[in-house]
Amino acid sequence: MKISDIMEILQGDIHACKDKLDLFIDSACGADLMSDVMAFSKENSMLLTGLINPQVIRTAEMMDIQAVVFVRGKKPNSDMCELAEEKGIVLMSTNLPMFTACGLLYKAGISGSGKACG
Amino acid sequence: MEKLVGSIIKKEYLIPANDFSIAGEASSNVRKLLTQLGVNPSIIKRTSIAMYEAELNVVIHGNGGTALVDIFEDRVEIFIYDEGPGIEDIELAMKEGYSTAPDRIREMGFGAGMGLSNIKKNADKFKLESEPGKGTKVYITMYLSQDGKT
């Protein structure tokens, strides 16, 4: 699924790397805890989160995550957008809550590559 | 026994205390170097995770510190140290879920007590030395062959 499709499904806005509308995303994870993204996320190419700070982008960089969606109407500030541009990470936002955003994307064919823990 | 080859790249990074705006810069820089050297992406990812977790620990707990990175032909050696308060019970600190991070760190999405075990999980070799009042030293070795283990 392309970034442009994701934006349509989530009725979202794009804030950084606006030239990457054709970037292909096939799997995602949803988390507010970056510690868990670092410890449990496998080969996901997109992160949905309600957490908003520059470390979300740093975490995405380290985990090879190519796009971040901020849920619940949160918008990244200009410093975060600048950092994301520098790292080549797409930043989007949606007014939808986390569960709904993840559900809509899952229904549309985005998978979660992580397996059950424990 | 490790091959005695000279390091091809030597780097030193200062990690400032409590400055979350640039925490991760050192790891990001090493990641860039390894990418330029054409290292296998999955090894780069494991290296990035291990070093970033260690770098965050220095920012959060260690009052800042230093990262020394040596890239050899066959491996990367990362030595991160601080002169912070040190760790009283290393075994306890290594346990998943155990954390002494303050609320302001947790509010930023970190401090869930996964860091040290996650370094161990991703590093090919990991050594932690710490003493209360004397700071903490973390040694990480990553092998650069395809399977990351030779």
Side-chain angles (χ1 to χ4, degrees):
Chain A
M1 190 184 295
K2 289 178 179 175
I3 293 287
S4 53
D5 301 325
I6 290 167
M7 284 178 56
E8 203 180 312
I9 291 167
L10 300 179
Q11 300 148 41
D13 293 323
I14 187 162
H15 305 276
C17 292
K18 295 179 182 174
D19 56 333
K20 290 195 173 176
L21 289 174
D22 287 336
L23 179 73
F24 194 81
I25 300 290
D26 58 354
S27 66
C29 60
D32 287 350
L33 195 54
M34 293 303 109
S35 289
D36 277 357
V37 175
M38 298 287 290
F40 297 116
S41 178
K42 305 284 181 212
E43 302 294 325
N44 293 308
S45 48
M46 187 167 77
L47 167 68
L48 290 94
T49 186
L51 187 73
I52 196 144
N53 65 50
Q55 290 311 314
V56 173
I57 295 152
R58 304 254 183 216
T59 303
E61 180 194 10
M62 302 304 161
M63 300 303 293
D64 293 331
I65 288 170
Q66 301 170 70
V68 176
V69 179
F70 296 105
V71 297
R72 305 193 281 269
K74 298 181 183 192
K75 304 259 191 297
N77 64 22
S78 60
D79 285 354
M80 292 179 66
C81 291
E82 210 175 292
L83 185 63
E85 289 281 351
E86 190 192 312
K87 311 288 183 195
I89 295 168
V90 177
L91 294 188
M92 289 172 276
S93 68
T94 176
N95 289 332
L96 295 170
M98 174 77 101
F99 183 79
T100 312
C102 291
L104 288 172
L105 292 175
Y106 195 87
K107 207 166 100 183
I110 299 255
S111 71
S113 66
K115 52 182 184 194
C117 301
Chain B
M1 211 173 109
E2 278 164 3
K3 270 192 266 174
L4 292 170
V5 285
S7 68
I8 45 175
I9 297 172
K10 230 176 167 48
K11 288 276 176 188
E12 181 174 347
Y13 304 96
L14 290 177
I15 305 168
N18 291 317
D19 187 349
F20 254 95
S21 63
I22 60 162
E25 246 335 280
S27 307
S28 176
N29 199 290
V30 170
R31 183 186 167 81
K32 226 174 279 169
L33 285 172
L34 296 178
T35 306
Q36 282 162 6
L37 291 170
V39 172
N40 178 297
S42 74
I43 297 170
I44 296 179
K45 188 169 173 179
R46 286 194 293 113
T47 309
S48 303
I49 295 171
M51 185 171 171
Y52 182 50
E53 294 274 22
E55 192 180 348
L56 282 170
N57 278 346
V58 167
V59 175
I60 297 168
H61 302 286
N63 299 329
T66 305
L68 299 176
V69 179
D70 279 69
I71 303 176
F72 296 84
E73 269 179 55
D74 63 336
R75 68 189 190 277
V76 183
E77 286 182 3
I78 300 165
F79 173 41
I80 298 187
Y81 62 94
D82 64 59
E83 289 171 6
I87 301 170
E88 213 156 299
D89 185 338
I90 291 180
E91 206 183 317
L92 186 61
M94 288 296 302
K95 258 177 99 170
E96 282 187 6
Y98 178 80
S99 174
T100 57
D103 283 349
R104 64 182 172 79
I105 300 300
R106 293 172 195 255
E107 280 157 19
M108 297 197 71
F110 297 94
M114 306 300 291
L116 288 175
S117 58
N118 205 23
I119 298 174
K120 194 176 173 188
K121 201 169 81 186
N122 284 284
D124 290 326
K125 271 195 198 167
F126 164 65
K127 194 168 81 174
L128 175 70
E129 288 173 358
S130 187
E131 236 182 278
K134 290 190 178 167
T136 300
K137 294 173 180 161
V138 169
Y139 302 84
I140 296 165
T141 304
M142 307 297 302
Y143 294 106
L144 299 179
S145 63
Q146 283 298 103
D147 62 5
K149 293 283 176 196
T150 39

